[in-house]
Amino acid sequence: MAWEPGPEHADWSRAVGLTSEHADTLAAGKPCWDDLVQPERGRVHQSIYTDPQIFGIELRRLFYENWFYVCHESQIALPGDYRTMSVGQVPLIATRDQDDAIHVLVNRCAHRGTTVCQQRTGNARFLKCEYHGWVYDSAGKLVGVSLREGFQPGELADVPAGLDHLPQVERYRGCVFASFSAEVPSLASYLGPAARYLDDWADQSPTGSVRLRKVGWQHRYRGNWKLALEGSNEAYHPDFLHAVTWKLQQRRREAAGKPGAIYRVAAQPATGVDLGHGHSVVELPHIAAAARERYPAAYVDELTGRLGRERSDRVLGAPWRMTLMPNVAFSGENVRIFRPITPELTEVEQYFVELPDVPPELNIYRAREERVFYGPAGHGGPDDLEMFERQQEGFRTGAVGTLNPWVLMNRQVRAEQVRPDGSRTAHATSEIMQRGMYRGWLDLMHGPRTVPTGARSGAGSEVTP
Amino acid sequence: MNIEEARAFLYREARLLDERRFADWLEILTEDISYRVPLTDYHEDDAYSREISITDDNRRRLESRVWHVGESGLNHTQDPPARTLRTISNVELSMLAENEAEIWCAVVIHEYRANAQRRFEPAVHPARGRYLLRRDEGKPWRIAIKEISLLARDGYVGALTFLV
């Protein structure tokens, strides 16, 4: 295995005063990722959810040296619009400048490090640090230093030209992605086969672009960030954890005099796909069939006419859930962004996806579906977060070395098929989406290397150039 | 209705919810009850602006919610059910008509969940309450609109899987 720990691994934990049960292994340069994460066996070691040193390396490898999702361009639609967010632990500002260009800036004054932008969302021509009054324009350029005339010759030479800006910012179908690394491969290679699903996502809209609300739900759970990424397109659990959803549907049907069998994901012809790079999707074609019945006919007809019957069946709903490593999950109706705070604390922001130029009752219908399931008072999403907290509670057993440390995700690991494009598939209720996530995790944690692992014949083996 | 009656009404409603007497609580709601927990400001006459909220239930959805919270046995975030204590103050009453009253108040919902994850940290949900009460001639007052606007509505509000 080609992984070579740099001195940064030891420095990382020392710098933040953390210790790790793997500290000796990591400091000795002994590769341990393949011991801890075994996607081909369908299991991971629970210390990856608790270990502070691994958390630090994850932030670096999976977030700071990778692409990540920032926001949607419709959330900063006008010149001067901005939004603040944190990626990993770094406070950022996404702006649209007066020339309509989108920037992702670091929310840190070049002078003394103070954050310069306090609102979650807003519009401003200039961003001003309130501490000493330094002023930046919406492209991040430093346009005003207070009491400039009193600086002596040469003293301003160390002043940067502006806020740090992320060297890579690209958009795909309205989604803004960025990277701290100038060397990261192109966004197209990062997305790979996932791009097709973002095409379908945006083409839900007659205009070819969706609109995200500026204000969303804020969730938080006491658990590792990866648990939400694992749980966001996992279709093994809904028949059990979300049984109440299907029971509520059944009660409604009965009240309307139309009793029927209870819905089960396990009975659907639904497919999980490992898209490579740690991305995965679960395809749920019955969602499109249901949308064809329930959505306003004018919308369904427009969409079917615009895209043709076959493609419209991939777009209506949209009939899938997708997660992209490291920090975002998409469904037809929402975008969820995951933010690791500590190894055992995670924030989730969730935004509703509006469709412009459609019958108003469609957005009302979709918003209601979204709210009653995923909202903070819904009957679905809160239960997911509850499970993540219970998992994290279970992981405390790691303190006793004789107890079982393994977390299983091996359902149908022996039934995976390879598609012509190299992506691997299995039934939706398999845990292939989670194995795909950890295949990508391994590639990224090992870092750039020239020799493919050989352990993988499918997607993802080309993750680094 | 006078201010003392308004207070008494709110105190009783709070106790019905704290004691999980949901059937009794449904009795004091009108058929066209609107039960709202907003996320942001909204326009009363813009249906869509209200959909983008934390909760916006009509009677049917609210009865489903009551079944989910009280009877389904499938509300995993309420295992065991949260104990709640509501304190109500700053009550203001405005009589809109002889049989229609608007009440504004401050509500603090204390929530305690005796499970492994939350038992050390009771949650506190401060909120502004707005009620529209109506009555048919000679009948008791009932709630036509109940709006609980949480102080942290567009921030972290936790799992609101009980009745607020």
Side-chain angles (χ1 to χ4, degrees):
Chain A
M1 200 51 63
W3 182 70
E4 299 286 341
E8 74 274 15
H9 293 118
D11 290 348
W12 195 278
S13 57
R14 217 176 286 132
V16 290
L18 301 171
T19 56
S20 161
E21 68 169 286
H22 303 295
D24 293 343
T25 317
L26 293 169
K30 189 180 154 205
C32 64
W33 306 135
D34 295 278
D35 300 332
L36 299 176
V37 169
Q38 303 174 3
E40 305 320 317
R41 198 168 165 181
R43 65 178 201 176
V44 300
H45 192 277
Q46 67 185 3
S47 61
I48 66 167
Y49 303 103
T50 57
D51 189 285
Q53 189 168 359
I54 291 177
F55 178 76
I57 299 170
E58 280 180 336
L59 287 182
R60 173 170 174 174
R61 292 286 200 208
L62 308 180
F63 286 78
Y64 306 147
E65 297 178 357
N66 194 10
W67 286 96
F68 50 79
Y69 177 89
V70 177
C71 66
H72 191 266
E73 63 184 10
S74 63
Q75 295 174 305
I76 41 172
L78 302 172
D81 277 1
Y82 65 81
R83 304 183 60 75
T84 56
M85 70 280 299
S86 289
V87 166
Q89 300 187 321
V90 180
L92 300 178
I93 318 166
T95 65
R96 187 184 289 261
D97 71 18
Q98 302 304 323
D99 300 321
D100 231 23
I102 287 180
H103 304 268
V104 180
L105 309 169
V106 178
N107 194 359
R108 177 194 184 280
C109 182
H111 176 219
R112 297 279 281 271
T114 321
T115 56
V116 300
C117 190
Q118 314 311 317
Q119 306 289 328
R120 294 216 349 247
T121 176
N123 183 287
R125 217 175 163 80
F126 298 103
L127 302 169
K128 180 176 154 194
C129 177
E130 306 292 352
Y131 197 0
H132 302 91
W134 287 27
V135 176
Y136 303 86
D137 69 15
S138 48
K141 185 170 174 255
L142 179 63
V143 294
V145 172
S146 318
L147 305 180
R148 179 182 278 273
E149 63 280 5
F151 280 89
Q152 302 303 304
E155 288 175 355
L156 289 172
D158 281 338
V159 175
L163 301 172
D164 274 338
H165 68 277
L166 273 64
Q168 299 262 21
V169 180
E170 282 193 48
R171 281 182 262 177
Y172 191 80
R173 299 306 298 259
C175 299
V176 180
F177 294 88
S179 179
F180 290 102
S181 163
E183 280 86 45
V184 73
S186 70
L187 181 66
S189 80
Y190 161 80
L191 291 174
R196 196 213 90 186
Y197 296 89
L198 290 180
D199 290 338
D200 295 346
W201 184 74
D203 283 336
Q204 294 182 95
S205 158
T207 66
S209 53
V210 299
R211 220 164 36 207
L212 262 62
R213 302 287 295 187
K214 289 192 178 189
V215 177
W217 296 317
Q218 309 285 307
H219 312 293
R220 181 190 301 168
Y221 64 90
R222 289 157 217 226
N224 187 268
W225 66 277
K226 296 188 292 299
L227 298 170
L229 204 61
E230 289 170 22
S232 290
N233 64 352
E234 201 253 66
Y236 187 4
H237 77 278
D239 289 344
F240 311 99
L241 182 63
H242 301 313
V244 73
T245 300
W246 323 133
K247 289 247 168 82
L248 283 164
Q249 283 177 1
Q250 195 183 38
R251 280 167 57 87
R252 274 204 302 279
R253 283 198 305 268
E254 280 169 359
K258 293 184 289 185
I262 201 152
Y263 169 90
R264 290 173 64 236
V265 178
Q268 308 297 329
T271 310
V273 190
D274 168 4
L275 296 169
H277 297 210
H279 313 327
S280 59
V281 70
V282 55
E283 298 176 340
L284 304 159
H286 53 282
I287 287 182
R292 209 171 274 285
E293 297 297 314
R294 292 175 198 156
Y295 283 6
Y299 169 77
V300 174
D301 291 346
E302 186 282 329
L303 187 115
T304 310
R306 174 163 49 92
L307 303 175
R309 176 72 196 214
E310 190 186 334
R311 176 123 193 274
S312 69
D313 278 337
R314 300 205 317 249
V315 173
L316 263 171
W320 45 260
R321 309 274 183 267
M322 178 168 71
T323 62
L324 302 184
M325 178 70 87
N327 73 331
V328 65
F330 291 88
S331 81
E333 292 171 352
N334 72 51
V335 175
R336 278 173 280 171
I337 304 162
F338 310 113
R339 181 187 166 216
I341 299 172
T342 73
E344 304 198 332
L345 187 63
T346 305
E347 277 181 356
V348 184
E349 290 185 25
Q350 179 158 355
Y351 296 97
F352 176 63
V353 175
E354 276 177 3
L355 304 181
D357 295 350
V358 299
E361 64 266 30
L362 179 59
N363 280 319
I364 288 177
Y365 177 83
R366 284 162 53 101
R368 191 174 295 161
E369 270 198 327
E370 176 75 2
R371 186 183 69 232
V372 300
F373 186 84
Y374 282 111
H379 50 67
D383 283 342
D384 290 318
L385 302 177
E386 178 77 14
M387 294 306 119
F388 306 154
E389 297 201 345
R390 292 185 193 179
Q391 286 179 287
Q392 199 72 35
E393 182 83 6
F395 299 154
R396 304 242 160 90
T397 57
V400 180
T402 52
L403 299 176
N404 171 22
W406 294 105
V407 176
L408 295 180
M409 44 192 72
N410 67 343
R411 188 163 197 278
Q412 294 190 358
V413 67
R414 298 182 182 190
E416 294 187 4
Q417 311 281 318
V418 181
R419 281 182 176 174
D421 68 358
S423 52
R424 301 192 199 187
T425 70
H427 189 262
T429 56
S430 76
E431 291 162 314
I432 188 172
M433 296 79 87
Q434 291 65 46
R435 291 191 290 276
M437 173 185 154
Y438 281 104
R439 287 171 183 142
W441 186 95
L442 269 184
D443 280 334
L444 290 161
M445 289 296 272
H446 280 297
R449 55 188 163 185
T450 50
V451 186
T453 63
R456 306 187 52 193
S457 57
S461 55
E462 76 293 0
V463 68
T464 49
Chain B
M1 175 173 262
N2 61 36
I3 188 83
E4 281 311 314
E5 289 168 330
R7 280 199 194 95
F9 186 94
L10 296 179
Y11 293 168
R12 176 160 183 274
E13 195 237 351
R15 190 161 56 82
L16 292 179
L17 289 173
D18 288 343
E19 294 176 354
R20 296 173 61 81
R21 289 166 58 187
F22 300 131
D24 293 338
W25 181 68
L26 287 171
E27 288 291 307
I28 61 165
L29 312 179
T30 63
E31 284 306 306
D32 63 346
I33 173 74
S34 176
Y35 169 81
R36 307 173 186 173
V37 184
L39 175 70
T40 57
D41 293 342
Y42 63 88
H43 304 289
E44 181 69 41
D45 46 5
D46 175 358
Y48 179 58
S49 74
R50 256 177 46 207
E51 294 290 343
I52 308 298
S53 59
I54 295 170
T55 296
D56 184 37
D57 284 351
N58 58 14
R59 178 104 198 177
R60 186 183 62 73
R61 285 197 290 274
L62 188 52
E63 286 176 356
S64 286
R65 182 180 300 282
V66 166
W67 176 79
H68 175 224
V69 171
E71 294 171 44
S72 71
L74 293 167
N75 188 344
H76 307 293
T77 58
Q78 294 289 313
D79 177 20
R83 286 176 230 157
T84 60
L85 174 67
R86 280 148 238 261
T87 62
I88 290 169
S89 65
N90 306 28
V91 177
E92 295 175 87
L93 170 68
S94 166
M95 292 304 293
L96 304 180
E98 196 189 334
N99 291 318
E100 195 167 71
E102 185 173 49
I103 307 177
W104 292 82
C105 62
V107 187
V108 182
I109 307 171
H110 299 267
E111 179 203 6
Y112 176 72
R113 294 179 56 199
N115 71 355
Q117 292 81 37
R118 300 284 173 178
R119 68 187 186 281
F120 298 116
E121 294 174 41
V124 181
H125 307 275
R128 174 66 63 180
R130 181 171 76 89
Y131 288 74
L132 184 72
L133 305 187
R134 281 204 305 262
R135 67 172 171 187
D136 294 329
E137 200 55 50
K139 297 278 180 56
W141 288 95
R142 294 197 295 168
I143 303 171
I145 295 176
K146 174 175 178 176
E147 177 175 299
I148 297 294
S149 188
L150 297 159
L151 205 57
R153 57 191 170 275
D154 56 355
Y156 173 67
V157 297
L160 297 173
T161 47
F162 53 95
L163 288 148
V164 298

